[in-house]
Amino acid sequence: AQKVTQAQTEISVVEKEDVTLDCVYETRDTTYYLFWYKQPPSGELVFLIRRNSFDEQNEISGRYSWNFQKSTSSFNFTITASQVVDSAVYFCALIPLNAGNMLTFGGGTRLMVKP
Amino acid sequence: GAGVSQSPSNKVTEKGKDVELRCDPISGHTALYWYRQSLGQGLEFLIYFQGNSAPDKSGLPSDRFSAERTGGSVSTLTIQRTQQEDSAVYLCASSLSSGEETQYFGPGTRLLVL
């Protein structure tokens, strides 16, 4: 069975601060994929990134960056210079390659960015 | 747009009534998924389709829940004899194929059972 833990249920920052959202996962599979989704107040889950277990390179996309560390089973997400529009619930999720097709989600982290 | 669409966006029903929720996946996506998001349970997997077949129904919470997919496209999730605990947001997603492909989500149907 898979498990994804997002220990931070809620984070509040002031605009322009950097913020890191933690994600720790458990799986027995050697090949798996990790995802981050954003859920703004409108409710739709928006895909942000997909990373496979063999690629531990960090990734940067604009103000977003992701740090994947297999040794600690973590896939953390950092927003640099946060903006009010970043306010949302962020979900980390995992899917193993050969053990089903369902995403296992963490509980989500609600990020509030204040002006 | 070319995204996943769901209808209705909101549904209020009385306990004991049946409801149907509809999902239109992204064109060309062969895999379709239903999830449920509720306050107490987070995001839960319900069922998955590859084409018109449902190889994995493990997440359906009871036999009151059923789903079908026709023509490899539109899917309907049916809840019979609704209960108050069925109140949740029902999310549909689709992906190019099954497995590790990225799942793209629709806006969801908010179901309230009174």
Side-chain angles (χ1 to χ4, degrees), chain B residues 31-97:
Chain B
L32 185 148
Y33 311 80
W34 284 97
Y35 293 84
R36 179 169 72 172
Q37 185 175 25
S38 53
L39 278 176
Q41 302 297 323
L43 276 153
E44 306 171 271
F45 168 81
L46 297 178
I47 189 170
Y48 142 73
F49 288 91
Q50 177 57 50
N52 293 332
S53 302
D56 191 350
K57 303 181 183 179
S58 62
L60 293 177
S62 77
D63 58 8
R64 295 186 296 105
F65 288 71
S66 63
E68 65 174 13
R69 189 179 185 196
T70 55
S73 181
V74 172
S75 176
T76 303
L77 177 68
T78 302
I79 309 173
Q80 296 179 309
R81 305 180 303 281
T82 51
Q83 303 293 312
Q84 288 182 332
E85 61 262 29
D86 299 334
S87 297
V89 177
Y90 289 82
L91 292 163
C92 177
S94 70
S95 62
L96 269 174
S97 63

Side-chain angles (χ1 to χ4, degrees), chain B residues 1-40:
Chain B
V4 178
S5 60
Q6 293 185 246
S7 61
S9 53
N10 292 281
K11 177 73 177 178
V12 181
T13 190
E14 293 179 350
K15 179 181 172 182
K17 299 281 179 123
D18 298 351
V19 295
E20 283 189 355
L21 312 179
R22 176 188 168 107
C23 172
D24 279 277
I26 293 172
S27 178
H29 280 194
T30 64
L32 185 148
Y33 311 80
W34 284 97
Y35 293 84
R36 179 169 72 172
Q37 185 175 25
S38 53
L39 278 176

Side-chain angles (χ1 to χ4, degrees), chain A residues 86-99:
Chain A
D86 295 327
S87 297
V89 180
Y90 291 86
F91 290 93
C92 181
L94 176 148
I95 190 166
L97 180 60
N98 294 314

Side-chain angles (χ1 to χ4, degrees), chain A residues 33 37 39 50 95 101 103, chain B residues 33 35 37 99-100 102-103:
Chain A
Y33 291 78
Y37 286 86
Q39 189 174 42
R50 168 177 174 263
I95 190 166
N101 296 279
L103 282 165
Chain B
Y33 311 80
Y35 293 84
Q37 185 175 25
E100 76 283 6
T102 298
Q103 296 179 25

